[in-house]
């Protein structure tokens, strides 16, 4: 557990599922940041948390007893040779953006993954070349600030709100490859 001022970063529990679902819901309903069309139920979130935590961390940022963000790692690919690589996901309550919560979550996630022997962090990010009301480029800029570099660009691979979106992959190497 990490504590900074009034924000605590800790492992998620199934009891956090409803709060996590409420944070995620506006991203599903109002943005192309996620390509999910339907908001998962709180029970689906319980299942997701439990599946991730079989192998990787699912962290939450809590302030005054309220979950205001979360981050987790999932397998980059299921094959054994990929075991040192993960995909990262970070979501912050829309009203709490710009306060450094994403950074705190990412730093805690990265440190935990280093202890687990993870060497590569990968982020799959929806992307569009021009202004779009459903897809701000905040995630791209955030990952650049966290030390990621763009390594792949897939064109017109996801459709949401009647519009096609690209997908980019960004990576950050956090360990020595021997």
């Amino acid at each position: 557990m990490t504590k900074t001022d009034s924000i605590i970063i800790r492992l998620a529990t199934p009891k956090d599922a409803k709060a996590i679902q409420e944070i995620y819901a506006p991203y599903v309903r109002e943005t192309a940041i996620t390509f999910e069309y339907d908001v998962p139920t709180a029970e689906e979130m319980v299942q997701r948390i439990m599946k991730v935590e079989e192998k990787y961390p699912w962290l939450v940022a809590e302030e005054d007893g309220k979950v205001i963000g979360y981050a987790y790692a999932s397998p980059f690919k299921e094959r054994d040779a990929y075991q040192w690589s993960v995909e990262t996901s970070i979501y912050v309550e829309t009203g709490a953006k710009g306060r450094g919560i994403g950074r705190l979550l990412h730093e805690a996630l990265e440190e935990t993954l280093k202890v687990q022997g993870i060497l590569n962090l990968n982020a799959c990010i929806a992307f569009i070349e021009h202004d779009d009301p459903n897809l701000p480029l905040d995630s791209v800029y955030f990952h650049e600030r966290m030390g990621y570099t763009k390594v792949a660009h897939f064109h017109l691979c996801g459709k949401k709100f009647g519009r096609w979106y690209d997908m980019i992959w960004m990576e950050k190497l956090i360990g020595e490859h021997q």
Side-chain angles (χ1 to χ4, degrees), residues 24 26-40 48 72 87 89 91 124-128 132 134-136 154-169:
Y24 188 54
Y27 290 98
V28 174
R29 285 192 308 261
E30 302 163 18
T31 78
I33 290 169
T34 174
F35 283 178
E36 284 197 77
Y37 287 171
D38 300 313
V39 177
R48 290 180 187 192
Y72 63 92
E87 181 179 347
S89 298
Y91 290 90
C124 183
I125 302 168
F127 184 80
I128 196 161
D132 183 276
N134 300 111
L135 187 59
F154 299 92
H155 300 276
L156 307 172
C157 58
K159 187 175 184 181
K160 194 168 179 182
F161 306 119
R163 174 178 243 165
W164 287 98
Y165 292 95
D166 295 354
M167 185 64 59
I168 65 169
W169 277 94

Side-chain angles (χ1 to χ4, degrees), residues 29-68:
R29 285 192 308 261
E30 302 163 18
T31 78
I33 290 169
T34 174
F35 283 178
E36 284 197 77
Y37 287 171
D38 300 313
V39 177
T41 65
E43 183 53 39
E44 286 176 279
M45 283 301 188
V46 168
Q47 297 306 314
R48 290 180 187 192
I49 292 166
M50 291 172 56
K51 181 166 177 49
V52 164
E53 288 186 342
E54 288 175 5
K55 188 167 184 179
Y56 300 112
W58 188 310
L59 305 176
V60 294
E62 185 179 277
E63 184 175 46
D64 300 325
K66 180 181 184 225
V67 174
I68 57 172

Side-chain angles (χ1 to χ4, degrees), residues 3 6 13 17 27 35-36 40 45 56-57 61 78 86 99 105 112 115 117-118 120 127 134 137 158-159 175:
K3 183 174 182 179
S6 63
T13 71
Y27 290 98
F35 283 178
E36 284 197 77
M45 283 301 188
Y56 300 112
E78 295 293 336
V86 296
R99 296 179 42 211
L105 282 163
T112 304
V115 171
I118 298 301
N120 295 27
F127 184 80
N134 300 111
L137 296 178
K159 187 175 184 181

Side-chain angles (χ1 to χ4, degrees), residues 98-119:
R99 296 179 42 211
I101 295 159
R103 175 176 288 281
L104 290 173
L105 282 163
H106 188 280
E107 288 171 349
L109 184 65
E110 184 176 324
E111 288 307 309
T112 304
L113 292 167
K114 280 181 183 177
V115 171
Q116 288 186 273
I118 298 301
L119 303 175

